[in-house]
Amino acid sequence: MPENFDFGSTENAVYSNHYFKMHVPFDDSWYVKSQEEMKEIAKVGKELIESDSYKRALEASEINNAYLFTLFKYGPDDLFAYNPSLSIVAENTKMYPHVKRGRTYLQEVQKALSLTTVSYEFDMIDEEFIIGKYSFDMMNVTLDYLGLDIKQQYYTTISKGFSLSIILSYTTETQKAKLESMLNTIVFSEGLSKTKNYTIL
């Protein structure tokens, strides 16, 4: 990681990351995962991968991965059928010179998810999603896990030698609408946010 890399911090219901000049306002009734909890989630995901060789490659690449921010609707003590979430993940792409844009990175994500024991369906979206000066490529993912029809939206761009991915996970249209409303308040450029009283550095 670069010396000035920033994992970010949360204050007053805003996640801020100065390395990417990104501020993410969120509903403060939702539950923010700690770095330790995010590592446990990643560990569970790794255990779903069938290929031993790919597991070893994934373990080696973990030093280049940064789980920046994960937000869940419910906390660990709540009861729920499914816990919708918004996650932000960065991965160093310097070892992958062919990854020049989000779409190429998402193709690699598709390959990785296809190696797990879970059955996925993928839909790469042709249009781009613009946040500030960044153009994000998009991929929709569906999976049937433990009887739940789970849907995910991946938004990925390349910035400062990293892939930067925003991932929405949900099962209902109501959950999707809430997550997209938070997605639409993310700010990457300098200046004052229109929805929150803070200034991006």
Side-chain angles (χ1 to χ4, degrees):
M1 294 294 178
E3 289 184 3
N4 63 336
F5 189 83
D6 178 22
F7 279 82
S9 60
T10 58
E11 185 178 0
N12 298 326
V14 177
Y15 167 77
S16 300
N17 186 295
H18 298 295
Y19 186 79
F20 293 108
K21 296 187 180 299
M22 170 177 60
H23 282 206
V24 184
F26 60 89
D27 187 332
D28 60 3
S29 69
W30 284 44
Y31 179 76
V32 178
K33 288 282 188 181
S34 67
Q35 286 288 332
E36 290 74 21
E37 289 172 311
M38 287 189 276
K39 288 177 182 177
E40 285 300 313
I41 293 172
K43 181 180 177 182
V44 171
K46 184 169 64 179
E47 290 172 353
L48 293 172
I49 297 176
E50 293 178 314
S51 168
D52 288 337
S53 61
Y54 194 83
K55 275 186 182 179
R56 289 192 294 271
L58 185 61
E59 288 169 354
S61 72
E62 284 178 352
I63 59 172
N64 294 312
N65 292 337
Y67 301 94
L68 301 178
F69 179 67
T70 301
L71 181 71
F72 282 90
K73 180 174 176 59
Y74 303 110
D77 298 325
D78 295 323
L79 296 176
F80 48 84
Y82 181 75
N83 204 357
S85 65
L86 181 152
S87 299
I88 302 176
V89 183
E91 182 172 0
N92 195 322
T93 59
K94 291 181 180 178
M95 294 181 63
Y96 311 101
H98 67 289
V99 176
K100 301 295 185 183
R101 59 173 289 182
R103 186 180 186 89
T104 311
Y105 180 82
L106 288 172
Q107 290 169 345
E108 296 299 323
V109 170
Q110 180 174 339
K111 292 177 186 177
L113 293 177
S114 298
L115 292 172
T116 70
T117 58
V118 179
S119 178
Y120 288 91
E121 294 182 3
F122 305 96
D123 179 24
M124 197 74 71
I125 308 301
D126 290 333
E127 62 184 286
E128 297 176 336
F129 186 80
I130 306 299
I131 307 178
K133 66 178 181 179
Y134 290 103
S135 175
F136 285 75
D137 287 307
M138 298 182 292
M139 179 174 71
N140 291 330
V141 178
T142 58
L143 62 146
D144 184 350
Y145 185 65
L146 298 178
L148 288 171
D149 183 21
I150 300 171
K151 301 182 187 303
Q152 295 182 318
Q153 295 178 1
Y154 282 73
Y155 299 81
T156 301
T157 191
I158 305 298
S159 174
K160 299 183 178 181
F162 285 84
S163 64
L164 183 66
S165 296
I166 305 167
I167 307 166
L168 312 183
S169 298
Y170 57 91
T171 57
T172 69
E173 289 300 310
T174 300
Q175 294 170 358
K176 175 185 177 182
K178 177 64 175 179
L179 290 166
E180 289 182 337
S181 71
M182 287 191 280
L183 174 73
N184 288 328
T185 64
I186 295 175
V187 180
F188 279 92
S189 58
E190 296 180 356
L192 186 67
S193 166
K194 295 179 182 179
T195 58
K196 290 283 184 177
N197 185 24
Y198 60 80
T199 301
I200 296 180
L201 302 178

